[in-house]
Amino acid sequence: MSQHDQQSLQVGVIGLGAMGMGTATVLLQHGFNVTGCDISADARDAFVAAGGRSVATPAELAHCHIVLVVVVNGLQVEQVLFGEQGVVSQLAPGSLIMQCATVAPSQAKQLGERLSGQGLMMLDAPISGGAAKAKSGELSVMASGAPETFTYSQGVLDAMAAKVYRLGDAPGVGSSMKLVNQLLAGVHIATAAEAMALGIRMGLDPEVIYDVITHSAGNSWMFENRVPHILSGDYTPLSAVDIFVKDLNIVHQTGRELALATPVASSALQQFTAASGAGFGREDDSAVIKVYQRLSGIALPEAANDAQGA
C-alpha cells in the first residue's frame, strides 16, 4: 500500500482497553486516520488527547475501510458487529473486519460466513503480546483469511505487529491457534501461582524463589512476567482473572466439541473460577494466588503503600 493510500485509509478500532488503545495509538503514529470507539468516555478522551478521533457507538464507524475489533469476549463481538448500534450494517461493501478478540474457533468461522454474506471481508486475527507490545507495535498476530484480506490490511498489520502468522485461507484457524496459546498462558499463570504458594508455605523467601526459578529449567515466560506482580503486591489488572475464566472456558468447550479431554487446562480453569468467585475477578490474573492464601493462610507480599499505611 502506497503512502498516499495509507493516508486516505480510514481505520476504526472498537475497544480502547489496554490492547486496543495501544494498537490504535501506534496506527496513528504510522500515519493512519484512526477513529477509536469505546463506551468509556475516559477512554475516548484519552485517545483524542493522543491525536485520534473518537465515537461512542460502532455504528458511527460507517466511514471506515478497516475496522479492528479489540473487545473482551464473543458476546461483545456480536454486539459491536450486529447489535442495535453495530457497525456491520453501516459499512460499505468490500470493507474489512479484523477480528482481534479471543473467541471460539467455531464462532470465528460463523462470523466469517455472516460477514461474507453482507459483502464484507474478515480477517480472523487474534493478537498476543500484552499492553506494552501493543503500544510499541510489536504484537504477534495469529491470522487467517482469504489472500485479499491480507493484501488489503498489510499496512495496518505491518504497523501493529512484529510478527504476523498467516495460518490459513479462512476464518477459524487464527482463533484455533490463539486458543492453544491461551491454554498454555492460563496453565502457566496458575502453575506459577501454585509454585509460589508452595515455596512460601515452606518458608522460602518469595524474592529468592523468583531469582532461582527465572535462572532454572522450571521458568516460563508467564512465571517471569507475572510473579513480579505478586512480589510487589500490586494486582492492578493488566490482564484480569476473569479473562482466563473466559478463555479457559472456551478451551474446555472446544475440547468437548472435539471429544478431547483437557484435564490440566480444566484444573487451571477451576483455580481462576475460584479466584473470581472469591471476588478477585477484576484483579490482575496473578491474583489467582489469593486462592491459596484463602485456603492455607500463606502470607503474600504486601504492596509498598499498604505496608507504609499499616
Side-chain angles (χ1 to χ4, degrees), residues 128-133 138 181-182 184-186 188-189 192 210 213-214 216-229 238-239 244 285:
S128 183
K133 289 190 176 180
E138 296 178 298
N181 183 78
Q182 295 310 92
L184 288 165
H188 285 166
I189 294 169
Y210 180 73
I213 296 303
T214 53
S216 302
N219 192 31
S220 68
W221 191 93
M222 282 300 190
F223 185 96
E224 193 160 343
N225 185 267
R226 295 304 204 266
V227 172
H229 304 171
L238 301 179
S239 176
F244 277 101
D285 50 34

PDB file of all heavy atoms in Angstrom, residues 128-133 138 181-182 184-186 188-189 192 210 213-214 216-229 238-239 244 285:
ATOM      1  N   SER A 128      -1.548 -11.258  20.447  1.00  0.00           N
ATOM      2  CA  SER A 128      -0.891 -11.637  21.684  1.00  0.00           C
ATOM      3  C   SER A 128       0.326 -10.750  21.881  1.00  0.00           C
ATOM      4  O   SER A 128       0.945 -10.301  20.919  1.00  0.00           O
ATOM      5  CB  SER A 128      -0.466 -13.111  21.633  1.00  0.00           C
ATOM      6  OG  SER A 128       0.125 -13.511  22.865  1.00  0.00           O
ATOM      7  N   GLY A 129       0.663 -10.508  23.143  1.00  0.00           N
ATOM      8  CA  GLY A 129       1.847  -9.717  23.445  1.00  0.00           C
ATOM      9  C   GLY A 129       1.657  -8.744  24.588  1.00  0.00           C
ATOM     10  O   GLY A 129       2.627  -8.216  25.127  1.00  0.00           O
ATOM     11  N   GLY A 130       0.391  -8.473  24.947  1.00  0.00           N
ATOM     12  CA  GLY A 130       0.148  -7.596  26.078  1.00  0.00           C
ATOM     13  C   GLY A 130       0.150  -6.126  25.712  1.00  0.00           C
ATOM     14  O   GLY A 130       0.441  -5.741  24.582  1.00  0.00           O
ATOM     15  N   ALA A 131      -0.170  -5.298  26.712  1.00  0.00           N
ATOM     16  CA  ALA A 131      -0.338  -3.860  26.504  1.00  0.00           C
ATOM     17  C   ALA A 131       0.947  -3.197  26.027  1.00  0.00           C
ATOM     18  O   ALA A 131       0.922  -2.310  25.166  1.00  0.00           O
ATOM     19  CB  ALA A 131      -0.828  -3.212  27.792  1.00  0.00           C
ATOM     20  N   ALA A 132       2.083  -3.621  26.571  1.00  0.00           N
ATOM     21  CA  ALA A 132       3.354  -2.978  26.215  1.00  0.00           C
ATOM     22  C   ALA A 132       3.678  -3.187  24.740  1.00  0.00           C
ATOM     23  O   ALA A 132       4.081  -2.247  24.039  1.00  0.00           O
ATOM     24  CB  ALA A 132       4.482  -3.516  27.087  1.00  0.00           C
ATOM     25  N   LYS A 133       3.486  -4.410  24.240  1.00  0.00           N
ATOM     26  CA  LYS A 133       3.799  -4.679  22.839  1.00  0.00           C
ATOM     27  C   LYS A 133       2.745  -4.098  21.904  1.00  0.00           C
ATOM     28  O   LYS A 133       3.049  -3.770  20.747  1.00  0.00           O
ATOM     29  CB  LYS A 133       3.980  -6.177  22.618  1.00  0.00           C
ATOM     30  CG  LYS A 133       5.264  -6.700  23.254  1.00  0.00           C
ATOM     31  CD  LYS A 133       5.589  -8.110  22.849  1.00  0.00           C
ATOM     32  CE  LYS A 133       6.941  -8.523  23.443  1.00  0.00           C
ATOM     33  NZ  LYS A 133       7.320  -9.901  23.080  1.00  0.00           N
ATOM     34  N   GLU A 138       4.464  -4.171  18.409  1.00  0.00           N
ATOM     35  CA  GLU A 138       5.229  -5.418  18.325  1.00  0.00           C
ATOM     36  C   GLU A 138       4.407  -6.644  18.706  1.00  0.00           C
ATOM     37  O   GLU A 138       4.933  -7.613  19.239  1.00  0.00           O
ATOM     38  CB  GLU A 138       6.460  -5.322  19.229  1.00  0.00           C
ATOM     39  CG  GLU A 138       7.441  -4.249  18.815  1.00  0.00           C
ATOM     40  CD  GLU A 138       8.624  -4.149  19.762  1.00  0.00           C
ATOM     41  OE1 GLU A 138       8.424  -3.843  20.957  1.00  0.00           O
ATOM     42  OE2 GLU A 138       9.740  -4.378  19.299  1.00  0.00           O
ATOM     43  N   ASN A 181      -2.508 -21.003  22.469  1.00  0.00           N
ATOM     44  CA  ASN A 181      -1.704 -20.065  23.265  1.00  0.00           C
ATOM     45  C   ASN A 181      -2.368 -19.781  24.613  1.00  0.00           C
ATOM     46  O   ASN A 181      -1.692 -19.759  25.658  1.00  0.00           O
ATOM     47  CB  ASN A 181      -1.520 -18.761  22.494  1.00  0.00           C
ATOM     48  CG  ASN A 181      -0.638 -17.769  23.232  1.00  0.00           C
ATOM     49  OD1 ASN A 181       0.572 -17.885  23.251  1.00  0.00           O
ATOM     50  ND2 ASN A 181      -1.261 -16.770  23.862  1.00  0.00           N
ATOM     51  N   GLN A 182      -3.682 -19.580  24.606  1.00  0.00           N
ATOM     52  CA  GLN A 182      -4.372 -19.239  25.850  1.00  0.00           C
ATOM     53  C   GLN A 182      -4.411 -20.411  26.821  1.00  0.00           C
ATOM     54  O   GLN A 182      -4.363 -20.204  28.032  1.00  0.00           O
ATOM     55  CB  GLN A 182      -5.786 -18.730  25.562  1.00  0.00           C
ATOM     56  CG  GLN A 182      -5.832 -17.408  24.796  1.00  0.00           C
ATOM     57  CD  GLN A 182      -4.947 -16.338  25.394  1.00  0.00           C
ATOM     58  OE1 GLN A 182      -3.787 -16.175  25.012  1.00  0.00           O
ATOM     59  NE2 GLN A 182      -5.475 -15.610  26.360  1.00  0.00           N
ATOM     60  N   LEU A 184      -1.990 -22.569  27.191  1.00  0.00           N
ATOM     61  CA  LEU A 184      -0.669 -22.548  27.813  1.00  0.00           C
ATOM     62  C   LEU A 184      -0.517 -21.358  28.760  1.00  0.00           C
ATOM     63  O   LEU A 184       0.010 -21.496  29.871  1.00  0.00           O
ATOM     64  CB  LEU A 184       0.408 -22.504  26.734  1.00  0.00           C
ATOM     65  CG  LEU A 184       0.599 -23.802  25.951  1.00  0.00           C
ATOM     66  CD1 LEU A 184       1.413 -23.548  24.684  1.00  0.00           C
ATOM     67  CD2 LEU A 184       1.264 -24.859  26.815  1.00  0.00           C
ATOM     68  N   ALA A 185      -0.969 -20.193  28.331  1.00  0.00           N
ATOM     69  CA  ALA A 185      -0.827 -18.994  29.162  1.00  0.00           C
ATOM     70  C   ALA A 185      -1.567 -19.152  30.486  1.00  0.00           C
ATOM     71  O   ALA A 185      -1.021 -18.855  31.557  1.00  0.00           O
ATOM     72  CB  ALA A 185      -1.340 -17.772  28.402  1.00  0.00           C
ATOM     73  N   GLY A 186      -2.796 -19.638  30.418  1.00  0.00           N
ATOM     74  CA  GLY A 186      -3.587 -19.798  31.642  1.00  0.00           C
ATOM     75  C   GLY A 186      -2.994 -20.840  32.574  1.00  0.00           C
ATOM     76  O   GLY A 186      -2.895 -20.626  33.790  1.00  0.00           O
ATOM     77  N   HIS A 188       0.130 -21.796  32.692  1.00  0.00           N
ATOM     78  CA  HIS A 188       1.409 -21.310  33.218  1.00  0.00           C
ATOM     79  C   HIS A 188       1.216 -20.303  34.356  1.00  0.00           C
ATOM     80  O   HIS A 188       1.980 -20.316  35.329  1.00  0.00           O
ATOM     81  CB  HIS A 188       2.234 -20.688  32.094  1.00  0.00           C
ATOM     82  CG  HIS A 188       2.848 -21.702  31.174  1.00  0.00           C
ATOM     83  ND1 HIS A 188       3.379 -21.368  29.946  1.00  0.00           N
ATOM     84  CD2 HIS A 188       3.000 -23.045  31.293  1.00  0.00           C
ATOM     85  CE1 HIS A 188       3.842 -22.462  29.362  1.00  0.00           C
ATOM     86  NE2 HIS A 188       3.610 -23.487  30.161  1.00  0.00           N
ATOM     87  N   ILE A 189       0.208 -19.430  34.236  1.00  0.00           N
ATOM     88  CA  ILE A 189      -0.046 -18.475  35.323  1.00  0.00           C
ATOM     89  C   ILE A 189      -0.524 -19.212  36.569  1.00  0.00           C
ATOM     90  O   ILE A 189      -0.050 -18.954  37.690  1.00  0.00           O
ATOM     91  CB  ILE A 189      -1.080 -17.421  34.893  1.00  0.00           C
ATOM     92  CG1 ILE A 189      -0.514 -16.540  33.782  1.00  0.00           C
ATOM     93  CG2 ILE A 189      -1.490 -16.540  36.091  1.00  0.00           C
ATOM     94  CD1 ILE A 189      -1.548 -15.655  33.120  1.00  0.00           C
ATOM     95  N   ALA A 192       2.396 -21.060  38.048  1.00  0.00           N
ATOM     96  CA  ALA A 192       3.327 -20.138  38.696  1.00  0.00           C
ATOM     97  C   ALA A 192       2.806 -19.752  40.077  1.00  0.00           C
ATOM     98  O   ALA A 192       3.567 -19.705  41.060  1.00  0.00           O
ATOM     99  CB  ALA A 192       3.526 -18.894  37.834  1.00  0.00           C
ATOM    100  N   TYR A 210      11.840 -16.371  43.109  1.00  0.00           N
ATOM    101  CA  TYR A 210      11.782 -15.765  41.769  1.00  0.00           C
ATOM    102  C   TYR A 210      13.156 -15.768  41.109  1.00  0.00           C
ATOM    103  O   TYR A 210      13.298 -16.135  39.931  1.00  0.00           O
ATOM    104  CB  TYR A 210      11.242 -14.343  41.861  1.00  0.00           C
ATOM    105  CG  TYR A 210      11.142 -13.655  40.524  1.00  0.00           C
ATOM    106  CD1 TYR A 210      10.144 -14.014  39.618  1.00  0.00           C
ATOM    107  CD2 TYR A 210      12.054 -12.671  40.150  1.00  0.00           C
ATOM    108  CE1 TYR A 210      10.046 -13.397  38.380  1.00  0.00           C
ATOM    109  CE2 TYR A 210      11.968 -12.045  38.913  1.00  0.00           C
ATOM    110  CZ  TYR A 210      10.966 -12.406  38.030  1.00  0.00           C
ATOM    111  OH  TYR A 210      10.877 -11.799  36.801  1.00  0.00           O
ATOM    112  N   ILE A 213      14.205 -19.519  40.210  1.00  0.00           N
ATOM    113  CA  ILE A 213      13.404 -20.153  39.150  1.00  0.00           C
ATOM    114  C   ILE A 213      13.631 -19.489  37.800  1.00  0.00           C
ATOM    115  O   ILE A 213      13.683 -20.161  36.765  1.00  0.00           O
ATOM    116  CB  ILE A 213      11.909 -20.173  39.523  1.00  0.00           C
ATOM    117  CG1 ILE A 213      11.682 -21.041  40.756  1.00  0.00           C
ATOM    118  CG2 ILE A 213      11.060 -20.675  38.355  1.00  0.00           C
ATOM    119  CD1 ILE A 213      12.162 -22.477  40.627  1.00  0.00           C
ATOM    120  N   THR A 214      13.785 -18.169  37.775  1.00  0.00           N
ATOM    121  CA  THR A 214      13.992 -17.493  36.488  1.00  0.00           C
ATOM    122  C   THR A 214      15.368 -17.800  35.891  1.00  0.00           C
ATOM    123  O   THR A 214      15.628 -17.458  34.739  1.00  0.00           O
ATOM    124  CB  THR A 214      13.817 -15.968  36.618  1.00  0.00           C
ATOM    125  OG1 THR A 214      14.656 -15.471  37.663  1.00  0.00           O
ATOM    126  CG2 THR A 214      12.369 -15.613  36.893  1.00  0.00           C
ATOM    127  N   SER A 216      16.432 -21.098  36.144  1.00  0.00           N
ATOM    128  CA  SER A 216      16.388 -22.565  36.190  1.00  0.00           C
ATOM    129  C   SER A 216      15.414 -23.106  35.160  1.00  0.00           C
ATOM    130  O   SER A 216      14.660 -22.356  34.527  1.00  0.00           O
ATOM    131  CB  SER A 216      15.989 -23.026  37.599  1.00  0.00           C
ATOM    132  OG  SER A 216      16.899 -22.524  38.568  1.00  0.00           O
ATOM    133  N   ALA A 217      15.393 -24.415  35.029  1.00  0.00           N
ATOM    134  CA  ALA A 217      14.600 -25.057  33.978  1.00  0.00           C
ATOM    135  C   ALA A 217      13.091 -24.925  34.202  1.00  0.00           C
ATOM    136  O   ALA A 217      12.314 -25.069  33.263  1.00  0.00           O
ATOM    137  CB  ALA A 217      14.975 -26.536  33.878  1.00  0.00           C
ATOM    138  N   GLY A 218      12.675 -24.658  35.439  1.00  0.00           N
ATOM    139  CA  GLY A 218      11.250 -24.544  35.714  1.00  0.00           C
ATOM    140  C   GLY A 218      10.652 -23.219  35.294  1.00  0.00           C
ATOM    141  O   GLY A 218       9.431 -23.014  35.415  1.00  0.00           O
ATOM    142  N   ASN A 219      11.461 -22.316  34.784  1.00  0.00           N
ATOM    143  CA  ASN A 219      10.963 -20.987  34.417  1.00  0.00           C
ATOM    144  C   ASN A 219      10.005 -21.063  33.227  1.00  0.00           C
ATOM    145  O   ASN A 219      10.049 -21.990  32.419  1.00  0.00           O
ATOM    146  CB  ASN A 219      12.149 -20.088  34.061  1.00  0.00           C
ATOM    147  CG  ASN A 219      11.742 -18.622  33.943  1.00  0.00           C
ATOM    148  OD1 ASN A 219      10.827 -18.175  34.633  1.00  0.00           O
ATOM    149  ND2 ASN A 219      12.424 -17.880  33.083  1.00  0.00           N
ATOM    150  N   SER A 220       9.126 -20.071  33.143  1.00  0.00           N
ATOM    151  CA  SER A 220       8.277 -19.877  31.971  1.00  0.00           C
ATOM    152  C   SER A 220       8.134 -18.375  31.751  1.00  0.00           C
ATOM    153  O   SER A 220       8.413 -17.583  32.655  1.00  0.00           O
ATOM    154  CB  SER A 220       6.884 -20.495  32.174  1.00  0.00           C
ATOM    155  OG  SER A 220       6.157 -19.783  33.170  1.00  0.00           O
ATOM    156  N   TRP A 221       7.704 -17.989  30.552  1.00  0.00           N
ATOM    157  CA  TRP A 221       7.508 -16.556  30.280  1.00  0.00           C
ATOM    158  C   TRP A 221       6.505 -15.976  31.255  1.00  0.00           C
ATOM    159  O   TRP A 221       6.698 -14.868  31.779  1.00  0.00           O
ATOM    160  CB  TRP A 221       7.022 -16.351  28.842  1.00  0.00           C
ATOM    161  CG  TRP A 221       7.062 -14.909  28.429  1.00  0.00           C
ATOM    162  CD1 TRP A 221       8.095 -14.276  27.794  1.00  0.00           C
ATOM    163  CD2 TRP A 221       6.037 -13.919  28.639  1.00  0.00           C
ATOM    164  NE1 TRP A 221       7.775 -12.948  27.600  1.00  0.00           N
ATOM    165  CE2 TRP A 221       6.529 -12.708  28.107  1.00  0.00           C
ATOM    166  CE3 TRP A 221       4.768 -13.940  29.230  1.00  0.00           C
ATOM    167  CZ2 TRP A 221       5.782 -11.519  28.134  1.00  0.00           C
ATOM    168  CZ3 TRP A 221       4.030 -12.760  29.271  1.00  0.00           C
ATOM    169  CH2 TRP A 221       4.531 -11.569  28.723  1.00  0.00           C
ATOM    170  N   MET A 222       5.423 -16.706  31.541  1.00  0.00           N
ATOM    171  CA  MET A 222       4.405 -16.211  32.458  1.00  0.00           C
ATOM    172  C   MET A 222       4.915 -16.135  33.889  1.00  0.00           C
ATOM    173  O   MET A 222       4.583 -15.191  34.620  1.00  0.00           O
ATOM    174  CB  MET A 222       3.145 -17.077  32.388  1.00  0.00           C
ATOM    175  CG  MET A 222       2.276 -16.779  31.183  1.00  0.00           C
ATOM    176  SD  MET A 222       1.690 -15.058  31.158  1.00  0.00           S
ATOM    177  CE  MET A 222       0.490 -15.151  29.838  1.00  0.00           C
ATOM    178  N   PHE A 223       5.714 -17.092  34.327  1.00  0.00           N
ATOM    179  CA  PHE A 223       6.302 -17.004  35.664  1.00  0.00           C
ATOM    180  C   PHE A 223       7.137 -15.733  35.764  1.00  0.00           C
ATOM    181  O   PHE A 223       7.006 -14.954  36.711  1.00  0.00           O
ATOM    182  CB  PHE A 223       7.173 -18.239  35.939  1.00  0.00           C
ATOM    183  CG  PHE A 223       7.720 -18.298  37.349  1.00  0.00           C
ATOM    184  CD1 PHE A 223       7.082 -19.034  38.331  1.00  0.00           C
ATOM    185  CD2 PHE A 223       8.875 -17.594  37.698  1.00  0.00           C
ATOM    186  CE1 PHE A 223       7.575 -19.080  39.637  1.00  0.00           C
ATOM    187  CE2 PHE A 223       9.381 -17.630  38.993  1.00  0.00           C
ATOM    188  CZ  PHE A 223       8.719 -18.372  39.964  1.00  0.00           C
ATOM    189  N   GLU A 224       7.974 -15.517  34.778  1.00  0.00           N
ATOM    190  CA  GLU A 224       8.874 -14.362  34.799  1.00  0.00           C
ATOM    191  C   GLU A 224       8.103 -13.048  34.743  1.00  0.00           C
ATOM    192  O   GLU A 224       8.491 -12.061  35.363  1.00  0.00           O
ATOM    193  CB  GLU A 224       9.850 -14.471  33.622  1.00  0.00           C
ATOM    194  CG  GLU A 224      11.017 -13.524  33.721  1.00  0.00           C
ATOM    195  CD  GLU A 224      12.184 -13.960  32.860  1.00  0.00           C
ATOM    196  OE1 GLU A 224      12.246 -15.135  32.431  1.00  0.00           O
ATOM    197  OE2 GLU A 224      13.054 -13.107  32.618  1.00  0.00           O
ATOM    198  N   ASN A 225       6.980 -13.045  34.001  1.00  0.00           N
ATOM    199  CA  ASN A 225       6.217 -11.815  33.805  1.00  0.00           C
ATOM    200  C   ASN A 225       5.229 -11.529  34.924  1.00  0.00           C
ATOM    201  O   ASN A 225       5.027 -10.374  35.316  1.00  0.00           O
ATOM    202  CB  ASN A 225       5.475 -11.884  32.461  1.00  0.00           C
ATOM    203  CG  ASN A 225       4.765 -10.599  32.125  1.00  0.00           C
ATOM    204  OD1 ASN A 225       3.583 -10.436  32.435  1.00  0.00           O
ATOM    205  ND2 ASN A 225       5.471  -9.675  31.493  1.00  0.00           N
ATOM    206  N   ARG A 226       4.593 -12.567  35.476  1.00  0.00           N
ATOM    207  CA  ARG A 226       3.507 -12.347  36.432  1.00  0.00           C
ATOM    208  C   ARG A 226       3.940 -12.371  37.893  1.00  0.00           C
ATOM    209  O   ARG A 226       3.363 -11.669  38.723  1.00  0.00           O
ATOM    210  CB  ARG A 226       2.405 -13.402  36.239  1.00  0.00           C
ATOM    211  CG  ARG A 226       1.685 -13.343  34.897  1.00  0.00           C
ATOM    212  CD  ARG A 226       1.081 -11.978  34.607  1.00  0.00           C
ATOM    213  NE  ARG A 226      -0.015 -12.069  33.666  1.00  0.00           N
ATOM    214  CZ  ARG A 226       0.083 -11.904  32.348  1.00  0.00           C
ATOM    215  NH1 ARG A 226       1.272 -11.648  31.805  1.00  0.00           N
ATOM    216  NH2 ARG A 226      -0.981 -12.006  31.578  1.00  0.00           N
ATOM    217  N   VAL A 227       4.942 -13.177  38.236  1.00  0.00           N
ATOM    218  CA  VAL A 227       5.344 -13.273  39.640  1.00  0.00           C
ATOM    219  C   VAL A 227       5.783 -11.918  40.212  1.00  0.00           C
ATOM    220  O   VAL A 227       5.508 -11.638  41.390  1.00  0.00           O
ATOM    221  CB  VAL A 227       6.413 -14.366  39.835  1.00  0.00           C
ATOM    222  CG1 VAL A 227       6.981 -14.329  41.254  1.00  0.00           C
ATOM    223  CG2 VAL A 227       5.799 -15.749  39.562  1.00  0.00           C
ATOM    224  N   PRO A 228       6.415 -11.029  39.428  1.00  0.00           N
ATOM    225  CA  PRO A 228       6.720  -9.707  39.987  1.00  0.00           C
ATOM    226  C   PRO A 228       5.490  -8.955  40.501  1.00  0.00           C
ATOM    227  O   PRO A 228       5.601  -8.161  41.445  1.00  0.00           O
ATOM    228  CB  PRO A 228       7.372  -8.967  38.819  1.00  0.00           C
ATOM    229  CG  PRO A 228       8.055 -10.054  38.047  1.00  0.00           C
ATOM    230  CD  PRO A 228       7.093 -11.208  38.119  1.00  0.00           C
ATOM    231  N   HIS A 229       4.318  -9.201  39.908  1.00  0.00           N
ATOM    232  CA  HIS A 229       3.096  -8.577  40.431  1.00  0.00           C
ATOM    233  C   HIS A 229       2.820  -9.080  41.851  1.00  0.00           C
ATOM    234  O   HIS A 229       2.389  -8.319  42.718  1.00  0.00           O
ATOM    235  CB  HIS A 229       1.897  -8.902  39.532  1.00  0.00           C
ATOM    236  CG  HIS A 229       2.072  -8.525  38.107  1.00  0.00           C
ATOM    237  ND1 HIS A 229       1.180  -8.894  37.125  1.00  0.00           N
ATOM    238  CD2 HIS A 229       3.057  -7.825  37.470  1.00  0.00           C
ATOM    239  CE1 HIS A 229       1.595  -8.434  35.958  1.00  0.00           C
ATOM    240  NE2 HIS A 229       2.735  -7.792  36.140  1.00  0.00           N
ATOM    241  N   LEU A 238      -3.546  -5.777  34.491  1.00  0.00           N
ATOM    242  CA  LEU A 238      -3.052  -5.651  33.128  1.00  0.00           C
ATOM    243  C   LEU A 238      -3.816  -6.651  32.253  1.00  0.00           C
ATOM    244  O   LEU A 238      -4.179  -6.359  31.128  1.00  0.00           O
ATOM    245  CB  LEU A 238      -1.549  -5.912  33.085  1.00  0.00           C
ATOM    246  CG  LEU A 238      -0.704  -4.957  33.954  1.00  0.00           C
ATOM    247  CD1 LEU A 238       0.770  -5.298  33.862  1.00  0.00           C
ATOM    248  CD2 LEU A 238      -0.945  -3.505  33.543  1.00  0.00           C
ATOM    249  N   SER A 239      -4.044  -7.831  32.784  1.00  0.00           N
ATOM    250  CA  SER A 239      -4.969  -8.806  32.219  1.00  0.00           C
ATOM    251  C   SER A 239      -5.656  -9.453  33.413  1.00  0.00           C
ATOM    252  O   SER A 239      -4.995  -9.946  34.316  1.00  0.00           O
ATOM    253  CB  SER A 239      -4.228  -9.858  31.388  1.00  0.00           C
ATOM    254  OG  SER A 239      -5.126 -10.845  30.917  1.00  0.00           O
ATOM    255  N   PHE A 244      -9.142 -15.104  31.967  1.00  0.00           N
ATOM    256  CA  PHE A 244      -8.787 -16.521  31.861  1.00  0.00           C
ATOM    257  C   PHE A 244      -9.935 -17.431  32.271  1.00  0.00           C
ATOM    258  O   PHE A 244      -9.982 -18.591  31.834  1.00  0.00           O
ATOM    259  CB  PHE A 244      -7.492 -16.821  32.622  1.00  0.00           C
ATOM    260  CG  PHE A 244      -6.289 -16.500  31.782  1.00  0.00           C
ATOM    261  CD1 PHE A 244      -5.584 -15.328  31.973  1.00  0.00           C
ATOM    262  CD2 PHE A 244      -5.911 -17.348  30.761  1.00  0.00           C
ATOM    263  CE1 PHE A 244      -4.503 -15.018  31.165  1.00  0.00           C
ATOM    264  CE2 PHE A 244      -4.835 -17.057  29.945  1.00  0.00           C
ATOM    265  CZ  PHE A 244      -4.122 -15.880  30.145  1.00  0.00           C
ATOM    266  N   ASP A 285      -4.499 -11.174  36.681  1.00  0.00           N
ATOM    267  CA  ASP A 285      -4.645 -12.635  36.678  1.00  0.00           C
ATOM    268  C   ASP A 285      -3.686 -13.331  37.644  1.00  0.00           C
ATOM    269  O   ASP A 285      -3.928 -14.465  38.059  1.00  0.00           O
ATOM    270  CB  ASP A 285      -4.520 -13.215  35.265  1.00  0.00           C
ATOM    271  CG  ASP A 285      -3.307 -12.730  34.500  1.00  0.00           C
ATOM    272  OD1 ASP A 285      -2.258 -12.490  35.127  1.00  0.00           O
ATOM    273  OD2 ASP A 285      -3.406 -12.579  33.262  1.00  0.00           O
TER     274      ASP A 285
END
